[in-house]
Amino acid sequence: MTVAHCKALFLAAPASGQGKSTVTAALARYYRDQGMKVRLFKTGPDYLDPQILKQASGQPVEPLDLWMAGEAYCQQALYEAACSADLILIEGAMGLFDGEPSSADLAARFNIPMVIVMDVKGMAQTAAAVAQGLARFRSDIDVVGLIANKCGSQRHADLIREALPDDLPLIATLKRDEAIALPERHLGLVQAHEVTNTLEQKFTQGVAALIEGGLGKHPMMKDLQAVVFHAAERLKRLKGSQGVKAVKAVKGLKGRRIGVANDAAFSFIYDANIRFLTEQGAEVLFFSPLSDRALPQVDALWFPGGYPELHAAALAQNIEMQQAVRAFYRSGQPMLAECGGFLYCLERLTDMEQRCYPMLGLLSGQGTMRGKRGCQGMQTAPLPEGDLRGHAHHRSRSAGTPEPIAWGRRQRHAAPGEAIYRQRGLTATYLHLFFPSNPSAAIALFSQKADVVERRKSAQVREVRVRDTYVGGE
């Protein structure tokens, strides 16, 4: 397979909740069933949608974000995908022009044609007007068609089709059918591994609905070449650029064994972060704080985000794992705890039903879930090792925590972002970090052992509170 054979298409929408993930997953499965190798990307920071898209396509799904990952990274990711795939599908984030940078910015940078996915319930010709407004809003994007979601009838579809210009056709429709909608909870879509059989059924139904709605019949979608550009047309000229050259791994983590919490409670993990660690020479060992009774033999630990609030009772009951993690913490070896992992490191966690459970107690303080109100946004973490970019997205608050060593820098305004804590070898924060945004800082974060003797004096007051929560003490 050469890059010249690959094509690409960008799925965008006027707003969140229009059905982008459902349509993108159905398209991926549709073309996969045609024998094509489909590579999917998700615009912006997201852990849940990629899980669904990965199951639909059977291939890894990584984020593309011009700010968090950088233009060079996005170029290289697209080029590498184009070298091995038949089709690249990119799911946008929020509305087409929302955010800085937006989905439109990403599509324009790489000249990727776009299809608009729109919930057309409650409108007909107006849907055509909105689609035309989106398509004509900027001259540097190429919108090639509309997929109408929640279309009520054939007559409904005809009204939209007749109101659209010839160069912006109605490619397909989906009926109003909750049977194909993807399941959600308070942070977004339900994790794929929790509903595998349900998703397979929804993929099948979604593909059938798209075909019935005209996807397979439309001449533009029968011949992808008529809808999407050959990736080589844009990417071949990037081949010699800095962004597409293979990044030479410095192997700064060679010989390091990194334990990564990965189960139903901790699963917000970018495939790109795991790939980064392994390319830098690390051996990644997954373990479960829910079911395992001991840690693997490792030199560093990473507790990513997830849903600890849904599994707080089981986490609290696994005393052996708590003891093992506390012993590792006392050793001063590097530990990173992000969002849900940060909550796990506190003394207590109160779940959505206001039930309170003891956690690790490595940091003083408690976490409390707070319903639908939350915090999200892109931020830079100014760590002692260097700046790492990432994002926040949580529905909890913390209180009674130690003095932070720094605060995240928000992307677009001066208000302090998320607190960043450093105690012994532990770095803890609500922020989800994207390791490739600063390779040297990420390598240092998992390499440097804390000097426990030097830290003990400055941490003495805080340690008194934490020590009381240890099972068996120090």
Side-chain angles (χ1 to χ4, degrees), residues 250-306:
V250 298
K251 299 295 183 182
L253 294 173
K254 185 176 180 180
R256 302 286 289 176
R257 293 162 60 91
I258 300 176
V260 181
N262 186 17
D263 55 22
F266 305 100
S267 62
F268 290 2
I269 302 171
Y270 290 127
D271 285 343
N273 278 355
I274 297 298
R275 183 157 59 93
F276 172 84
L277 294 176
T278 57
E279 287 178 348
Q280 295 301 326
E283 180 182 358
V284 174
L285 302 174
F286 294 107
F287 69 97
S288 171
L290 284 172
S291 58
D292 291 342
R293 302 302 172 187
L295 290 171
Q297 293 297 314
V298 294
D299 307 298
L301 288 178
W302 174 23
F303 291 94

Side-chain angles (χ1 to χ4, degrees), residues 4 52 73 95 97 100 102 108-109 113 122 132 148 190 224 230 322-323 365 415 423 436:
I52 306 294
Y73 179 91
F97 303 108
E100 296 178 16
S102 65
R109 170 62 186 85
Q132 290 183 73
V190 173
L224 278 173
H230 283 293
Q322 291 180 5
Q323 291 175 325
Q423 200 162 278

